[in-house]
Amino acid sequence: MKIIKILLTTGNLLFCAPLFAANAPDKTECIAPAKPGGGFDLTCKLVQISLLTTKAIDSPMRVTFMPGGVGAVAYNAIVAQRPAEPGTIVAFSGGSLLNLAQGKFGRYNVNDVRWLASVGTDYGMIAVRSDSPYKTLKDLIDVFQKEPTKIVFGAGASIGGQDWMKTALLAKKAGIDPHKMRYVAFEGGGEALTALLGNHIQVFSGDISESLPYLTSNKLRVLAVYADKRLNGALAPIPTAKEQGYDIVWPVIRGFYVGPKVSDEQYQWWVDTFKKLQQSDEFKKQRELRGLFEFNMTGKELDDYVKKQVIEYHEMAKSFGLAK
């Protein structure tokens, strides 16, 4: 932390006023609360590259993986064991907020960390292998309605998590009891995609960004994206669930939080850094490469948004009998 002294003279008096300005942390780390290959990994890598190329930091940010409970292990570790680390940021998504809304993060709640910045929004989607017999969402739903237990869905979230919730909403729209569908929970989207490609599950419920590498290599077929309208660019050919008769829209915010005891000065350094980052061409380029769409919030604005979302997710979870 720098202490800058400003000398002012008035008559024979000399005044000395300290001003505090936080430096960039000596070491930076991004915790992805899952195994490599999923959305949390993507979120950390986006910021890792952007911070270095925009020269916001001098040395590369370390990315570490802390799987467990779709964010619960990382959340508990930061609050209880590493609450004051100025250089450590932790990735979160809408799924993290949904789990918080259901009390899945143990004794800690939405007020126990400092919500920092968003880096974009993703959208939910449903996909199959490229050689799957299901060419359209209708093909899948037709079989699902006739034989609900024939299809095995998989995702990087437990029952009640956002990927399960997206699948449950689809089942509900199709007139099927969500609790009767066959669903396999994995620790992160990367694991679930590997299971799909290995033909251990038939359908993957995830987010459009984590599917991009598999789409470009023609290993995956996305049957529907849960956006209000078709996405742009290379994703434009993918139909929405809404246009196919299933009114499901599920945006997935991606962002970061820091420990509860990070100083105001260091927290503000991160807020200011993210504000600059969000406006930089390099960051916008990296965000687009990862299939994310603009969603810029920092500091108090993000804090207010997160807490409102948790309340809304709690009400949704209650409608499925998953929360009190």
Side-chain angles (χ1 to χ4, degrees), residues 161-179:
Q162 73 162 346
D163 292 333
W164 179 90
M165 194 73 76
K166 287 180 289 191
T167 315
L169 285 171
L170 183 64
K172 200 171 183 179
K173 295 283 185 183
I176 299 164
D177 181 353
H179 297 92

Side-chain angles (χ1 to χ4, degrees), residues 60-278:
M61 169 179 269
R62 178 186 176 194
V63 175
T64 56
F65 300 94
M66 195 179 290
V70 196
V73 170
Y75 203 84
N76 279 262
I78 287 298
V79 177
Q81 300 162 23
R82 303 169 60 179
E85 294 182 5
T88 302
I89 62 175
V90 187
F92 79 90
S93 71
S96 311
L97 305 185
L98 181 60
N99 281 355
L100 271 172
Q102 296 176 60
K104 290 187 175 183
F105 281 12
R107 61 196 177 101
Y108 299 116
N109 61 45
V110 69
N111 300 306
D112 287 318
V113 299
R114 305 192 75 173
W115 301 98
L116 179 61
S118 61
V119 291
T121 189
D122 202 350
Y123 288 94
M125 60 91 197
I126 190 161
V128 294
R129 282 173 31 140
S130 57
D131 60 356
S132 169
Y134 308 121
K135 308 293 185 186
T136 66
L137 185 60
K138 183 180 183 302
D139 291 341
L140 175 66
I141 296 300
D142 284 346
V143 175
F144 191 31
Q145 287 174 327
K146 292 172 186 174
E147 301 178 80
T149 59
K150 182 177 179 179
I151 299 170
V152 181
F153 294 86
S158 59
I159 291 176
Q162 73 162 346
D163 292 333
W164 179 90
M165 194 73 76
K166 287 180 289 191
T167 315
L169 285 171
L170 183 64
K172 200 171 183 179
K173 295 283 185 183
I176 299 164
D177 181 353
H179 297 92
K180 291 182 179 178
M181 66 184 180
R182 294 177 67 190
Y183 178 88
V184 180
F186 295 89
E187 187 55 60
E191 270 196 6
L193 279 163
T194 300
L196 178 72
L197 297 178
N199 216 21
H200 302 297
I201 59 175
Q202 285 79 57
V203 184
F204 170 64
S205 175
D207 304 326
I208 197 69
S209 62
E210 59 192 349
S211 71
L212 278 181
Y214 303 92
L215 281 173
T216 54
S217 59
N218 295 318
K219 293 180 179 179
L220 210 64
R221 179 187 303 128
V222 177
L223 300 181
V225 62
Y226 297 142
D228 190 52
K229 58 183 180 180
R230 288 204 183 197
L231 304 178
N232 298 324
L235 300 175
I238 301 172
T240 65
K242 195 172 182 179
E243 72 184 71
Q244 297 178 78
Y246 297 89
D247 191 3
I248 304 171
V249 177
W250 194 286
V252 183
I253 181 178
R254 296 201 175 277
F256 298 95
Y257 63 84
V258 297
K261 294 184 180 178
V262 170
S263 72
D264 289 345
E265 291 81 13
Q266 288 291 354
Y267 176 77
Q268 193 58 45
W269 181 86
W270 279 112
V271 168
D272 293 341
T273 298
F274 269 102
K275 281 182 178 178
K276 292 174 186 173
L277 201 65
Q278 289 164 347

